[in-house]
Amino acid sequence: KLAMQLKSIARAAFQAGKYARSRCLYRIAQWYCPWSDSTMYSNAAICCLHMNLNHDAVAEAQNALMIDVSNAKAWHSILKAEIILGYRICDISMFDNATGSALDRLIGSETGNISKVLKGLQQQHVLLPKADPANVALNNNLLSKAGLDSQSTELQTVPEIESELLTLLGCIFAARAHGNTSGVDFSCQLFTAALLRGSSNAAWYLVLRGFELACSGDKAEDLSTHTEALKMLASVPSCTQFSVAALQLGYALPDPEEGLLYLTAAAVAQCHGSEEACEALVQKVLVEKRCRWDACGEYAKWLVECGGQGVRVAEVMSQFAH
């Protein structure tokens, strides 16, 4: 209810041309309604477009599509923002399935002007280069936008630029430093700066980079630090990150009870999508407890009724029947 009230106020602010206020209100609403209403994200993406925050527009629209792949506003925002930028950030093929392109299906199902606009944007978008660490010219241009240079080794302050641009730069420097753990890791500084400016994507990349550094250097304190970052990420209401973060915590945490808590949260978030968390829960509860009903009965019921794991639960229970 509160999310709907915030959405209504945000809509009025948008209509009044107060795009920054409108986006702020939509982001607050996302905290209260993170996974059920894709328009909380697609409307925020449109606000970003009006403010020329094109990297952030892509991130907001991507979140919207993770909830509803048929959200036409979100597709319009991603295509338009990346055309303005001149390169692709989001891999839109992630939304495709065995029946083909999600965007093509949407264009085919829409009628009138919406279909024509999306088709026109799609034709321009397909020609864009991908933003990747190997694209030196593009990377130098991004660094220039951020007021950095290719020899940068530290940040004195958080740059006053889009959070998702900082995230993208962090990915570039992480790729450049792959296998090199000496000195200050500049990519982690960039991800942290992006996080401070509100990027949940940055939190995920910070975690990944931290695990990479911890594994390569065998530093328990690094692993602990970035496990804490992962916990923080699991508390962020971002549909693209929450279930992944909770699942990884379930695997990584040394405390089995705490790990089970995060696995359960991931399974609840993923029960209508990926089955990885549900399968992890089957292994963690049913298999490890050898299907003792007093220890795993409630989990088994939920996995059958809500997680779509009826066949899998029956298979595991039959293994321990005798």
Side-chain angles (χ1 to χ4, degrees):
K1 185 177 179 181
L2 179 57
M4 293 302 105
Q5 292 174 344
L6 287 165
K7 184 178 178 181
S8 177
I9 299 170
R11 186 185 301 113
F14 180 88
Q15 291 171 347
K18 299 177 181 178
Y19 304 121
R21 174 176 171 78
S22 179
R23 187 201 179 189
C24 181
L25 289 164
Y26 279 125
R27 298 204 76 181
I28 296 172
Q30 291 166 12
W31 281 94
Y32 292 97
C33 190
W35 303 303
S36 60
D37 188 348
S38 68
T39 64
M40 300 290 190
Y41 298 92
S42 58
N43 288 351
I46 293 173
C47 293
C48 291
L49 281 175
H50 278 276
M51 294 186 290
N52 200 32
L53 302 176
N54 297 298
H55 296 89
D56 288 355
V58 172
E60 295 279 13
Q62 183 177 338
N63 276 339
L65 292 175
M66 293 296 293
I67 299 173
D68 181 7
V69 76
S70 63
N71 186 319
K73 284 184 180 179
W75 279 111
H76 180 270
S77 294
I78 280 184
L79 297 175
K80 188 169 183 179
E82 292 191 342
I83 288 170
I84 293 171
L85 290 170
Y87 48 85
R88 289 178 286 121
I89 306 170
C90 175
D91 179 11
I92 61 175
S93 65
M94 74 171 72
F95 303 110
D96 299 343
N97 58 27
T99 63
S101 164
L103 180 55
D104 285 340
R105 288 196 304 275
L106 177 63
I107 291 173
S109 65
E110 293 287 350
T111 57
N113 194 49
I114 294 177
S115 178
K116 292 179 181 178
V117 170
L118 289 177
K119 185 67 176 178
L121 290 173
Q122 182 189 39
Q123 291 172 347
Q124 297 178 62
H125 185 267
V126 73
L127 302 175
L128 297 176
K130 186 178 184 299
D132 64 66
N135 193 331
V136 176
L138 173 59
N139 294 344
N140 288 338
N141 184 43
L142 291 175
L143 289 167
S144 176
K145 282 185 179 180
L148 304 172
D149 60 68
S150 60
Q151 305 302 315
S152 295
T153 57
E154 61 180 342
L155 290 178
Q156 300 297 331
T157 60
V158 178
E160 288 293 326
I161 58 175
E162 293 175 85
S163 62
E164 296 305 325
L165 176 53
L166 286 167
T167 302
L168 183 57
L169 288 167
C171 293
I172 291 169
F173 276 92
R176 288 182 179 180
H178 186 69
N180 177 19
T181 60
S182 61
V184 177
D185 188 80
F186 189 48
S187 63
C188 286
Q189 291 189 49
L190 288 164
F191 291 141
T192 303
L195 187 61
L196 290 171
R197 293 192 64 79
S199 170
S200 58
N201 287 329
W204 177 237
Y205 286 117
L206 180 62
V207 169
L208 291 178
R209 183 62 178 150
F211 279 139
E212 180 183 341
L213 292 172
C215 291
S216 61
D218 194 26
K219 297 177 181 178
E221 63 274 20
D222 283 343
L223 188 60
S224 173
T225 297
H226 293 284
T227 299
E228 290 303 312
L230 198 56
K231 288 183 181 181
M232 175 191 63
L233 178 57
S235 71
V236 174
S238 168
C239 56
T240 61
Q241 310 295 349
F242 170 81
S243 60
V244 178
L247 179 61
Q248 294 305 314
L249 278 166
Y251 289 143
L253 289 170
D255 183 339
E257 294 301 320
E258 190 178 12
L260 178 59
L261 175 66
Y262 280 103
L263 280 181
T264 304
V268 171
Q270 290 188 359
C271 67
H272 298 299
S274 169
E275 295 186 350
E276 184 180 358
C278 288
E279 175 58 28
L281 202 56
V282 168
Q283 293 293 325
K284 185 75 174 178
V285 181
L286 274 66
V287 174
E288 289 186 12
K289 298 183 183 298
R290 302 184 66 81
C291 284
R292 295 194 312 275
W293 195 251
D294 61 326
C296 64
E298 293 303 317
Y299 282 95
K301 288 179 183 178
W302 182 87
L303 285 163
V304 171
E305 294 173 4
C306 303
Q309 300 295 308
V311 174
R312 182 72 180 108
V313 169
E315 288 176 353
V316 174
M317 294 188 73
S318 67
Q319 295 176 17
F320 298 98
H322 303 291

